[in-house]
PDB file of all heavy atoms in Angstrom:
ATOM      1  N   ARG V  27       0.807  -1.223   0.000  1.00 85.00           N
ATOM      2  CA  ARG V  27       0.000   0.000   0.000  1.00 85.00           C
ATOM      3  C   ARG V  27       0.839   1.272   0.000  1.00 85.00           C
ATOM      4  O   ARG V  27       0.311   2.356  -0.199  1.00 85.00           O
ATOM      5  CB  ARG V  27      -0.944  -0.001   1.198  1.00 85.00           C
ATOM      6  CG  ARG V  27      -2.051  -1.012   1.050  1.00 85.00           C
ATOM      7  CD  ARG V  27      -3.010  -0.959   2.203  1.00 85.00           C
ATOM      8  NE  ARG V  27      -4.189  -1.759   1.908  1.00 85.00           N
ATOM      9  CZ  ARG V  27      -5.043  -2.177   2.815  1.00 85.00           C
ATOM     10  NH1 ARG V  27      -4.863  -1.852   4.091  1.00 85.00           N
ATOM     11  NH2 ARG V  27      -6.081  -2.894   2.455  1.00 85.00           N
ATOM     12  N   ALA V  28       2.141   1.145   0.216  1.00 83.00           N
ATOM     13  CA  ALA V  28       2.997   2.331   0.317  1.00 83.00           C
ATOM     14  C   ALA V  28       3.024   3.132  -0.979  1.00 83.00           C
ATOM     15  O   ALA V  28       3.190   4.349  -0.954  1.00 83.00           O
ATOM     16  CB  ALA V  28       4.414   1.925   0.720  1.00 83.00           C
ATOM     17  N   SER V  29       2.834   2.473  -2.118  1.00 72.00           N
ATOM     18  CA  SER V  29       2.874   3.186  -3.400  1.00 72.00           C
ATOM     19  C   SER V  29       1.478   3.490  -3.945  1.00 72.00           C
ATOM     20  O   SER V  29       1.323   3.802  -5.109  1.00 72.00           O
ATOM     21  CB  SER V  29       3.680   2.379  -4.418  1.00 72.00           C
ATOM     22  OG  SER V  29       3.077   1.123  -4.627  1.00 72.00           O
ATOM     23  N   GLY V  30       0.463   3.390  -3.091  1.00 75.00           N
ATOM     24  CA  GLY V  30      -0.904   3.702  -3.520  1.00 75.00           C
ATOM     25  C   GLY V  30      -1.870   2.638  -3.049  1.00 75.00           C
ATOM     26  O   GLY V  30      -1.473   1.665  -2.421  1.00 75.00           O
ATOM     27  N   PRO V  31      -3.139   2.823  -3.352  1.00 81.00           N
ATOM     28  CA  PRO V  31      -4.151   1.868  -2.885  1.00 81.00           C
ATOM     29  C   PRO V  31      -3.875   0.449  -3.386  1.00 81.00           C
ATOM     30  O   PRO V  31      -3.546   0.247  -4.547  1.00 81.00           O
ATOM     31  CB  PRO V  31      -5.458   2.393  -3.482  1.00 81.00           C
ATOM     32  CG  PRO V  31      -5.188   3.803  -3.870  1.00 81.00           C
ATOM     33  CD  PRO V  31      -3.720   3.906  -4.143  1.00 81.00           C
ATOM     34  N   PHE V  32      -3.972  -0.482  -2.498  1.00 80.00           N
ATOM     35  CA  PHE V  32      -3.826  -1.890  -2.842  1.00 80.00           C
ATOM     36  C   PHE V  32      -4.796  -2.645  -1.961  1.00 80.00           C
ATOM     37  O   PHE V  32      -4.757  -2.528  -0.746  1.00 80.00           O
ATOM     38  CB  PHE V  32      -2.401  -2.383  -2.604  1.00 80.00           C
ATOM     39  CG  PHE V  32      -2.192  -3.797  -3.057  1.00 80.00           C
ATOM     40  CD1 PHE V  32      -1.797  -4.071  -4.366  1.00 80.00           C
ATOM     41  CD2 PHE V  32      -2.414  -4.854  -2.190  1.00 80.00           C
ATOM     42  CE1 PHE V  32      -1.631  -5.377  -4.791  1.00 80.00           C
ATOM     43  CE2 PHE V  32      -2.242  -6.166  -2.612  1.00 80.00           C
ATOM     44  CZ  PHE V  32      -1.845  -6.429  -3.911  1.00 80.00           C
ATOM     45  N   HIS V  33      -5.686  -3.408  -2.583  1.00 83.00           N
ATOM     46  CA  HIS V  33      -6.716  -4.119  -1.829  1.00 83.00           C
ATOM     47  C   HIS V  33      -6.650  -5.609  -2.124  1.00 83.00           C
ATOM     48  O   HIS V  33      -6.923  -6.011  -3.252  1.00 83.00           O
ATOM     49  CB  HIS V  33      -8.103  -3.580  -2.178  1.00 83.00           C
ATOM     50  CG  HIS V  33      -8.223  -2.109  -1.956  1.00 83.00           C
ATOM     51  ND1 HIS V  33      -8.315  -1.563  -0.705  1.00 83.00           N
ATOM     52  CD2 HIS V  33      -8.230  -1.071  -2.819  1.00 83.00           C
ATOM     53  CE1 HIS V  33      -8.388  -0.240  -0.807  1.00 83.00           C
ATOM     54  NE2 HIS V  33      -8.322   0.073  -2.081  1.00 83.00           N
ATOM     55  N   PRO V  34      -6.285  -6.402  -1.134  1.00 88.00           N
ATOM     56  CA  PRO V  34      -6.315  -7.850  -1.347  1.00 88.00           C
ATOM     57  C   PRO V  34      -7.760  -8.283  -1.593  1.00 88.00           C
ATOM     58  O   PRO V  34      -8.683  -7.746  -0.982  1.00 88.00           O
ATOM     59  CB  PRO V  34      -5.797  -8.439  -0.038  1.00 88.00           C
ATOM     60  CG  PRO V  34      -5.299  -7.301   0.765  1.00 88.00           C
ATOM     61  CD  PRO V  34      -5.851  -6.053   0.202  1.00 88.00           C
ATOM     62  N   PRO V  35      -7.958  -9.232  -2.463  1.00 88.00           N
ATOM     63  CA  PRO V  35      -9.326  -9.667  -2.754  1.00 88.00           C
ATOM     64  C   PRO V  35      -9.897 -10.558  -1.666  1.00 88.00           C
ATOM     65  O   PRO V  35      -9.147 -11.169  -0.894  1.00 88.00           O
ATOM     66  CB  PRO V  35      -9.159 -10.450  -4.054  1.00 88.00           C
ATOM     67  CG  PRO V  35      -7.784 -11.018  -3.950  1.00 88.00           C
ATOM     68  CD  PRO V  35      -6.971  -9.964  -3.246  1.00 88.00           C
ATOM     69  N   GLN V  36     -11.214 -10.643  -1.625  1.00 89.00           N
ATOM     70  CA  GLN V  36     -11.881 -11.581  -0.722  1.00 89.00           C
ATOM     71  C   GLN V  36     -11.534 -13.015  -1.137  1.00 89.00           C
ATOM     72  O   GLN V  36     -11.273 -13.857  -0.298  1.00 89.00           O
ATOM     73  CB  GLN V  36     -13.394 -11.363  -0.785  1.00 89.00           C
ATOM     74  CG  GLN V  36     -14.169 -12.170   0.222  1.00 89.00           C
ATOM     75  CD  GLN V  36     -14.034 -11.643   1.627  1.00 89.00           C
ATOM     76  OE1 GLN V  36     -13.700 -10.498   1.841  1.00 89.00           O
ATOM     77  NE2 GLN V  36     -14.273 -12.492   2.598  1.00 89.00           N
ATOM     78  N   SER V  37     -11.527 -13.276  -2.435  1.00 91.00           N
ATOM     79  CA  SER V  37     -11.231 -14.599  -2.953  1.00 91.00           C
ATOM     80  C   SER V  37     -10.022 -14.547  -3.893  1.00 91.00           C
ATOM     81  O   SER V  37      -8.955 -15.029  -3.568  1.00 91.00           O
ATOM     82  CB  SER V  37     -12.445 -15.161  -3.690  1.00 91.00           C
ATOM     83  OG  SER V  37     -12.174 -16.425  -4.230  1.00 91.00           O
ATOM     84  N   TYR V  38     -10.217 -13.941  -5.064  1.00 91.00           N
ATOM     85  CA  TYR V  38      -9.127 -13.775  -6.019  1.00 91.00           C
ATOM     86  C   TYR V  38      -9.464 -12.616  -6.940  1.00 91.00           C
ATOM     87  O   TYR V  38     -10.601 -12.166  -7.018  1.00 91.00           O
ATOM     88  CB  TYR V  38      -8.900 -15.054  -6.850  1.00 91.00           C
ATOM     89  CG  TYR V  38      -9.943 -15.275  -7.914  1.00 91.00           C
ATOM     90  CD1 TYR V  38      -9.727 -14.830  -9.219  1.00 91.00           C
ATOM     91  CD2 TYR V  38     -11.151 -15.901  -7.632  1.00 91.00           C
ATOM     92  CE1 TYR V  38     -10.692 -15.007 -10.203  1.00 91.00           C
ATOM     93  CE2 TYR V  38     -12.114 -16.077  -8.602  1.00 91.00           C
ATOM     94  CZ  TYR V  38     -11.878 -15.637  -9.884  1.00 91.00           C
ATOM     95  OH  TYR V  38     -12.830 -15.808 -10.857  1.00 91.00           O
ATOM     96  N   ARG V  39      -8.438 -12.130  -7.640  1.00 90.00           N
ATOM     97  CA  ARG V  39      -8.657 -11.152  -8.695  1.00 90.00           C
ATOM     98  C   ARG V  39      -7.479 -11.199  -9.641  1.00 90.00           C
ATOM     99  O   ARG V  39      -6.387 -11.648  -9.293  1.00 90.00           O
ATOM    100  CB  ARG V  39      -8.885  -9.744  -8.165  1.00 90.00           C
ATOM    101  CG  ARG V  39      -7.689  -9.043  -7.583  1.00 90.00           C
ATOM    102  CD  ARG V  39      -8.078  -7.635  -7.126  1.00 90.00           C
ATOM    103  NE  ARG V  39      -7.069  -7.015  -6.325  1.00 90.00           N
ATOM    104  CZ  ARG V  39      -6.138  -6.196  -6.808  1.00 90.00           C
ATOM    105  NH1 ARG V  39      -6.097  -5.910  -8.082  1.00 90.00           N
ATOM    106  NH2 ARG V  39      -5.244  -5.655  -6.007  1.00 90.00           N
ATOM    107  N   TYR V  40      -7.747 -10.735 -10.843  1.00 87.00           N
ATOM    108  CA  TYR V  40      -6.683 -10.660 -11.834  1.00 87.00           C
ATOM    109  C   TYR V  40      -5.935  -9.361 -11.602  1.00 87.00           C
ATOM    110  O   TYR V  40      -6.531  -8.338 -11.273  1.00 87.00           O
ATOM    111  CB  TYR V  40      -7.265 -10.741 -13.248  1.00 87.00           C
ATOM    112  CG  TYR V  40      -8.031 -12.028 -13.452  1.00 87.00           C
ATOM    113  CD1 TYR V  40      -9.426 -12.050 -13.452  1.00 87.00           C
ATOM    114  CD2 TYR V  40      -7.360 -13.240 -13.600  1.00 87.00           C
ATOM    115  CE1 TYR V  40     -10.126 -13.233 -13.609  1.00 87.00           C
ATOM    116  CE2 TYR V  40      -8.049 -14.422 -13.752  1.00 87.00           C
ATOM    117  CZ  TYR V  40      -9.435 -14.415 -13.759  1.00 87.00           C
ATOM    118  OH  TYR V  40     -10.115 -15.589 -13.904  1.00 87.00           O
ATOM    119  N   LEU V  41      -4.633  -9.390 -11.773  1.00 83.00           N
ATOM    120  CA  LEU V  41      -3.808  -8.217 -11.534  1.00 83.00           C
ATOM    121  C   LEU V  41      -3.610  -7.420 -12.818  1.00 83.00           C
ATOM    122  O   LEU V  41      -3.441  -7.996 -13.890  1.00 83.00           O
ATOM    123  CB  LEU V  41      -2.445  -8.636 -10.984  1.00 83.00           C
ATOM    124  CG  LEU V  41      -2.478  -9.282  -9.601  1.00 83.00           C
ATOM    125  CD1 LEU V  41      -1.113  -9.842  -9.246  1.00 83.00           C
ATOM    126  CD2 LEU V  41      -2.935  -8.296  -8.554  1.00 83.00           C
ATOM    127  N   THR V  42      -3.613  -6.122 -12.668  1.00 80.00           N
ATOM    128  CA  THR V  42      -3.333  -5.228 -13.784  1.00 80.00           C
ATOM    129  C   THR V  42      -1.827  -4.980 -13.854  1.00 80.00           C
ATOM    130  O   THR V  42      -1.083  -5.297 -12.917  1.00 80.00           O
ATOM    131  CB  THR V  42      -4.044  -3.873 -13.591  1.00 80.00           C
ATOM    132  OG1 THR V  42      -3.468  -3.224 -12.437  1.00 80.00           O
ATOM    133  CG2 THR V  42      -5.545  -4.046 -13.400  1.00 80.00           C
ATOM    134  N   GLY V  43      -1.387  -4.371 -14.943  1.00 75.00           N
ATOM    135  CA  GLY V  43       0.017  -3.991 -15.059  1.00 75.00           C
ATOM    136  C   GLY V  43       0.440  -3.064 -13.937  1.00 75.00           C
ATOM    137  O   GLY V  43       1.545  -3.185 -13.395  1.00 75.00           O
ATOM    138  N   GLU V  44      -0.443  -2.147 -13.551  1.00 75.00           N
ATOM    139  CA  GLU V  44      -0.132  -1.225 -12.448  1.00 75.00           C
ATOM    140  C   GLU V  44       0.021  -1.989 -11.132  1.00 75.00           C
ATOM    141  O   GLU V  44       0.918  -1.701 -10.339  1.00 75.00           O
ATOM    142  CB  GLU V  44      -1.223  -0.158 -12.326  1.00 75.00           C
ATOM    143  CG  GLU V  44      -0.969   0.853 -11.219  1.00 75.00           C
ATOM    144  CD  GLU V  44       0.356   1.619 -11.370  1.00 75.00           C
ATOM    145  OE1 GLU V  44       0.829   1.815 -12.512  1.00 75.00           O
ATOM    146  OE2 GLU V  44       0.912   2.014 -10.331  1.00 75.00           O
ATOM    147  N   ASP V  45      -0.846  -2.973 -10.895  1.00 74.00           N
ATOM    148  CA  ASP V  45      -0.715  -3.811  -9.695  1.00 74.00           C
ATOM    149  C   ASP V  45       0.643  -4.507  -9.673  1.00 74.00           C
ATOM    150  O   ASP V  45       1.307  -4.565  -8.639  1.00 74.00           O
ATOM    151  CB  ASP V  45      -1.799  -4.892  -9.663  1.00 74.00           C
ATOM    152  CG  ASP V  45      -3.196  -4.372  -9.416  1.00 74.00           C
ATOM    153  OD1 ASP V  45      -3.351  -3.339  -8.733  1.00 74.00           O
ATOM    154  OD2 ASP V  45      -4.146  -5.016  -9.907  1.00 74.00           O
ATOM    155  N   LEU V  46       1.049  -5.034 -10.819  1.00 72.00           N
ATOM    156  CA  LEU V  46       2.326  -5.744 -10.888  1.00 72.00           C
ATOM    157  C   LEU V  46       3.499  -4.812 -10.633  1.00 72.00           C
ATOM    158  O   LEU V  46       4.472  -5.190  -9.985  1.00 72.00           O
ATOM    159  CB  LEU V  46       2.470  -6.438 -12.239  1.00 72.00           C
ATOM    160  CG  LEU V  46       1.501  -7.604 -12.457  1.00 72.00           C
ATOM    161  CD1 LEU V  46       1.554  -8.072 -13.900  1.00 72.00           C
ATOM    162  CD2 LEU V  46       1.801  -8.738 -11.501  1.00 72.00           C
ATOM    163  N   ARG V  47       3.413  -3.584 -11.122  1.00 70.00           N
ATOM    164  CA  ARG V  47       4.477  -2.609 -10.851  1.00 70.00           C
ATOM    165  C   ARG V  47       4.564  -2.321  -9.353  1.00 70.00           C
ATOM    166  O   ARG V  47       5.647  -2.224  -8.788  1.00 70.00           O
ATOM    167  CB  ARG V  47       4.249  -1.331 -11.654  1.00 70.00           C
ATOM    168  CG  ARG V  47       4.718  -1.464 -13.101  1.00 70.00           C
ATOM    169  CD  ARG V  47       4.659  -0.141 -13.837  1.00 70.00           C
ATOM    170  NE  ARG V  47       3.319   0.172 -14.326  1.00 70.00           N
ATOM    171  CZ  ARG V  47       2.739  -0.426 -15.374  1.00 70.00           C
ATOM    172  NH1 ARG V  47       3.388  -1.364 -16.038  1.00 70.00           N
ATOM    173  NH2 ARG V  47       1.536  -0.090 -15.763  1.00 70.00           N
ATOM    174  N   LYS V  48       3.408  -2.198  -8.698  1.00 70.00           N
ATOM    175  CA  LYS V  48       3.404  -1.949  -7.248  1.00 70.00           C
ATOM    176  C   LYS V  48       4.057  -3.109  -6.503  1.00 70.00           C
ATOM    177  O   LYS V  48       4.812  -2.901  -5.550  1.00 70.00           O
ATOM    178  CB  LYS V  48       1.976  -1.759  -6.747  1.00 70.00           C
ATOM    179  CG  LYS V  48       1.380  -0.427  -7.100  1.00 70.00           C
ATOM    180  CD  LYS V  48      -0.028  -0.329  -6.557  1.00 70.00           C
ATOM    181  CE  LYS V  48      -0.703   0.939  -7.030  1.00 70.00           C
ATOM    182  NZ  LYS V  48      -2.088   1.018  -6.552  1.00 70.00           N
ATOM    183  N   VAL V  49       3.750  -4.322  -6.928  1.00 71.00           N
ATOM    184  CA  VAL V  49       4.345  -5.490  -6.280  1.00 71.00           C
ATOM    185  C   VAL V  49       5.862  -5.457  -6.456  1.00 71.00           C
ATOM    186  O   VAL V  49       6.612  -5.714  -5.522  1.00 71.00           O
ATOM    187  CB  VAL V  49       3.742  -6.800  -6.837  1.00 71.00           C
ATOM    188  CG1 VAL V  49       4.527  -8.007  -6.355  1.00 71.00           C
ATOM    189  CG2 VAL V  49       2.279  -6.917  -6.437  1.00 71.00           C
ATOM    190  N   THR V  50       6.319  -5.121  -7.642  1.00 69.00           N
ATOM    191  CA  THR V  50       7.758  -5.056  -7.899  1.00 69.00           C
ATOM    192  C   THR V  50       8.437  -4.035  -7.006  1.00 69.00           C
ATOM    193  O   THR V  50       9.489  -4.298  -6.423  1.00 69.00           O
ATOM    194  CB  THR V  50       8.019  -4.696  -9.379  1.00 69.00           C
ATOM    195  OG1 THR V  50       7.368  -5.656 -10.197  1.00 69.00           O
ATOM    196  CG2 THR V  50       9.496  -4.701  -9.685  1.00 69.00           C
ATOM    197  N   ILE V  51       7.832  -2.868  -6.872  1.00 69.00           N
ATOM    198  CA  ILE V  51       8.390  -1.807  -6.026  1.00 69.00           C
ATOM    199  C   ILE V  51       8.394  -2.225  -4.559  1.00 69.00           C
ATOM    200  O   ILE V  51       9.358  -2.013  -3.840  1.00 69.00           O
ATOM    201  CB  ILE V  51       7.606  -0.491  -6.213  1.00 69.00           C
ATOM    202  CG1 ILE V  51       7.858   0.056  -7.624  1.00 69.00           C
ATOM    203  CG2 ILE V  51       7.977   0.534  -5.152  1.00 69.00           C
ATOM    204  CD1 ILE V  51       6.886   1.150  -8.039  1.00 69.00           C
TER     205      ILE V  51
END
């Protein structure tokens, strides 16, 4: 969450390119 909103899913969700960049950072 340090680089912006990040919400873990209740079950699952597909990740966007922006989500993947946040994970990398």
Side-chain angles (χ1 to χ4, degrees):
R27 289 183 169 163
S29 61
F32 185 89
H33 304 286
Q36 187 74 21
S37 178
Y38 75 94
R39 71 179 168 95
Y40 301 104
L41 294 172
T42 65
E44 181 59 29
D45 290 330
L46 292 170
R47 279 188 279 286
K48 285 180 186 178
V49 170
T50 303
I51 292 166

